[in-house]
Amino acid sequence: MRSLLLTAFSLVFLLSCHTVQLNKATGKWIPLFNGTDIKDWIVKIHHYECGENFGNTFRVEDGIIKVRYDQYGPFNDRFGHLYYKVPFSYYHLKFEYRFVGELQQGAPGYTLLNSGVMFHSQDPRTMPKEQDWPISIEMQLLGGLGDGKPRTTGNMCSPGTNIVYKGVFDERHCIDSSSKTYDGDQWVQGELIVLGDSLITHKINGETVMQYSKPQIGGDVVNRYDPKIKIDGTALKSGFIALQSEGQPVDFRNVEIMVLPPKK
């Protein structure tokens, strides 16, 4: 027992030191993805324990985080997320993404050319094995379907959460942004500017496409969570950042963050 306690203490201490180092780097761009491996990230996939990267879902090749399902067979609702190891509160996040390949057999139709970046998320280590989505806010990423119809990206979705949008408390699960439609496998740049539980801004290819405020725990969509974690009405002032897998192959690269000074 003593050795377990020491191990737990060591982990907390190391994470705390890493957080302090990042906070000291306020105003500087820091890579979250080193281009080589995902040792600084935590995997949590529905139906599996935290840390189990079933089917090598999240892998690094050619300096890219690749989300793949070639070892799956039927998808079986194996919704997954790759979390950076420490939480953030005030920051500017940049990343690039592109959709590739075909939707995995058995994945829900709505996940076609669909992924996302979760933020202000609960710690993945607090998620039971059968919890499907993290309590979090999502910057939803969508690709055009090539049918000439608009399909915005950089939208807002809210698993187990709510926001204030255009000054009104809004319980909709997803709200469309004002972005353009991006077809094919082109790289698209996303940005998140997060100011604690205050203003949140989504940007796509340098253009602001959505803003909202006061993220908080509430609402549904999340299932089989630990009720001690989901306290509705709790303001979301900080949390983990995660890259999503939900049946569509997708690539991520150039994931970097600038820690911003907290609001006084």
Side-chain angles (χ1 to χ4, degrees):
M1 176 62 74
R2 183 170 181 272
S3 62
L4 288 175
L5 289 174
L6 287 173
T7 300
F9 176 79
S10 299
L11 177 61
V12 171
F13 177 76
L14 288 172
L15 292 181
S16 298
C17 288
H18 186 75
T19 303
V20 169
Q21 289 172 351
L22 285 170
N23 288 337
K24 285 183 177 180
T26 298
K28 299 178 181 179
W29 287 107
I30 304 295
L32 295 187
F33 170 49
N34 60 17
T36 304
D37 56 53
I38 51 173
K39 292 180 180 178
D40 289 332
W41 299 72
I42 303 168
V43 176
K44 176 63 181 80
I45 298 174
H46 185 210
H47 303 318
Y48 300 90
E49 299 291 352
C50 183
E52 184 173 352
N53 189 12
F54 171 78
N56 197 25
T57 303
F58 298 98
R59 62 190 72 167
V60 178
E61 297 174 356
D62 305 318
I64 296 168
I65 296 176
K66 296 186 175 183
V67 181
R68 298 293 186 269
Y69 311 97
D70 49 284
Q71 300 176 33
Y72 268 52
F75 185 65
N76 191 28
D77 289 343
R78 293 183 178 105
F79 305 113
H81 299 84
L82 180 67
Y83 300 77
Y84 192 70
K85 63 185 180 182
V86 296
F88 296 93
S89 181
Y90 283 74
Y91 58 90
H92 187 167
L93 179 76
K94 286 184 179 181
F95 59 93
E96 293 177 74
Y97 71 94
R98 68 177 177 185
F99 293 109
V100 296
E102 303 294 328
L103 185 66
Q104 182 64 18
Q105 175 190 356
Y110 67 82
T111 65
L112 177 63
L113 300 178
N114 186 341
S115 188
V117 172
M118 324 302 281
F119 63 100
H120 275 0
S121 172
Q122 69 181 105
D123 188 323
R125 290 159 290 202
T126 67
M127 294 176 63
K129 182 177 178 180
E130 292 301 325
Q131 183 175 336
D132 47 4
W133 309 100
I135 298 167
S136 58
I137 306 294
E138 176 187 356
M139 182 178 182
Q140 184 191 50
L141 309 174
L142 298 177
L145 299 177
D147 56 6
K149 297 179 181 179
R151 196 175 192 231
T152 59
T153 188
N155 307 318
M156 189 291 307
C157 292
S158 55
T161 54
N162 290 308
I163 63 165
V164 171
Y165 181 62
K166 295 184 177 180
V168 178
F169 182 75
D170 200 316
E171 297 182 274
R172 285 179 290 174
H173 173 51
C174 291
I175 302 174
D176 288 347
S177 78
S178 61
S179 84
K180 301 173 184 176
T181 299
Y182 295 90
D183 292 308
D185 60 357
Q186 62 181 300
W187 286 102
V188 179
Q189 185 188 68
E191 295 178 63
L192 269 171
I193 303 174
V194 180
L195 305 179
D197 65 342
S198 181
L199 183 65
I200 295 169
T201 301
H202 295 193
K203 299 179 77 173
I204 295 293
N205 282 349
E207 296 184 3
T208 296
V209 298
M210 171 165 279
Q211 288 186 312
Y212 50 93
S213 63
K214 298 182 180 177
Q216 57 195 269
I217 297 175
D220 49 21
V221 178
V222 173
N223 298 290
R224 296 173 295 280
Y225 51 82
D226 181 346
K228 296 191 297 292
I229 301 297
K230 192 175 184 295
I231 308 300
D232 290 358
T234 303
L236 286 173
K237 300 181 180 181
S238 65
F240 288 76
I241 295 168
L243 310 178
Q244 189 178 72
S245 71
E246 53 181 11
Q248 171 67 52
V250 59
D251 294 337
F252 293 95
R253 70 180 184 185
N254 296 331
V255 185
E256 54 185 357
I257 197 166
M258 178 188 292
V259 176
L260 302 176
K263 182 179 179 181
K264 295 182 179 180

